[in-house]
């Protein structure tokens, strides 16, 4: 080989990872049931973010992606409305957000189910690497998102 060739040409496409290393693929979707955990832990805004990202990872069309976002955003709007009407504090805002997020979950998941079913069928036919990704990071992130969202909501609407 030519010593002046770029490193990719000298080492091959896979570079230093070795000849048996798999090419990194697109991010794997999360299991749908994990979105209930996100809703319970993080509330409506966290559910919206995770549901939209997961719908994109599942490869949903724009119309289905919009349905997922609309159902989840309805919970966010209802949370703001409930906090405004009830005039509740931080703890009650957190509870309202989680209850409404859990109520929105069946609608959010229903829009993702056809693509999720396709993903599971593809995973059964292909190798074990074509599985779900871990939702643990999204659950942890939802804790931080919900903390700031609910405090801000309580301050803005409660003031």
């Amino acid at each position: 080989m030519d010593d002046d060739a770029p490193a990719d040409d000298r080492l091959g496409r896979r570079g230093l990872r070795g000849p048996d290393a798999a090419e990194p693929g697109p991010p794997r979707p999360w299991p749908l049931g994990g979105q209930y955990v996100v809703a319970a832990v993080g509330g409506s805004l966290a559910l919206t973010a995770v549901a939209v990202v997961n719908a994109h990872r599942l490869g949903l069309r724009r119309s289905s992606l919009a349905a997922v976002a609309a159902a989840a955003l309805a919970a966010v709007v209802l949370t703001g409305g409930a906090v405004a009407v009830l005039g509740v504090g931080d703890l009650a805002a957190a509870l309202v957000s989680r209850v409404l997020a859990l109520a929105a979950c069946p609608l959010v998941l229903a829009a993702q189910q056809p693509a999720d079913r396709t993903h599971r069928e593809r995973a059964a036919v292909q190798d074990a690497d074509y599985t779900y990704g871990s939702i643990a990071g999204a659950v942890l992130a939802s804790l931080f998102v919900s903390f700031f969202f609910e405090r801000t909501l309580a301050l803005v609407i409660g003031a």
Side-chain angles (χ1 to χ4, degrees):
M1 257 202 206
D2 184 18
D3 286 332
D4 294 331
D8 286 347
D9 290 344
R10 281 183 275 148
L11 298 173
R13 287 192 156 256
R14 297 180 193 262
L16 298 174
R17 292 181 296 162
D20 296 331
E23 288 291 327
R28 294 177 296 180
W30 296 309
L32 295 185
Q35 292 178 41
Y36 277 105
V37 175
V38 169
V41 169
S44 55
L45 189 64
L47 173 66
T48 301
V50 168
V52 169
V53 169
N54 197 55
H56 180 70
R57 287 179 172 198
L58 284 168
L60 263 66
R61 294 189 178 112
R62 286 187 185 196
S63 60
S64 297
L65 191 61
V68 169
L73 282 173
V76 173
V77 171
L78 289 173
T79 298
V83 171
V85 169
L86 298 174
V88 295
D90 289 350
L91 183 59
L95 182 61
V96 167
S97 178
R98 281 153 182 78
V99 167
L100 290 172
L102 287 168
C105 266
L107 296 172
V108 170
L109 299 183
Q112 296 178 59
Q113 279 181 337
D116 183 67
R117 190 175 306 114
T118 302
H119 175 78
R120 279 186 282 129
E121 290 169 359
R122 204 176 301 154
V125 172
Q126 293 182 359
D127 59 8
D129 289 336
Y130 199 77
T131 58
Y132 290 104
S134 173
I135 198 163
V139 171
L140 290 175
S142 71
L143 283 170
F144 293 108
V145 168
S146 66
F147 176 80
F148 291 110
F149 171 66
E150 290 152 3
R151 279 6 164 241
T152 303
L153 187 64
L155 286 173
V156 170
I157 294 178

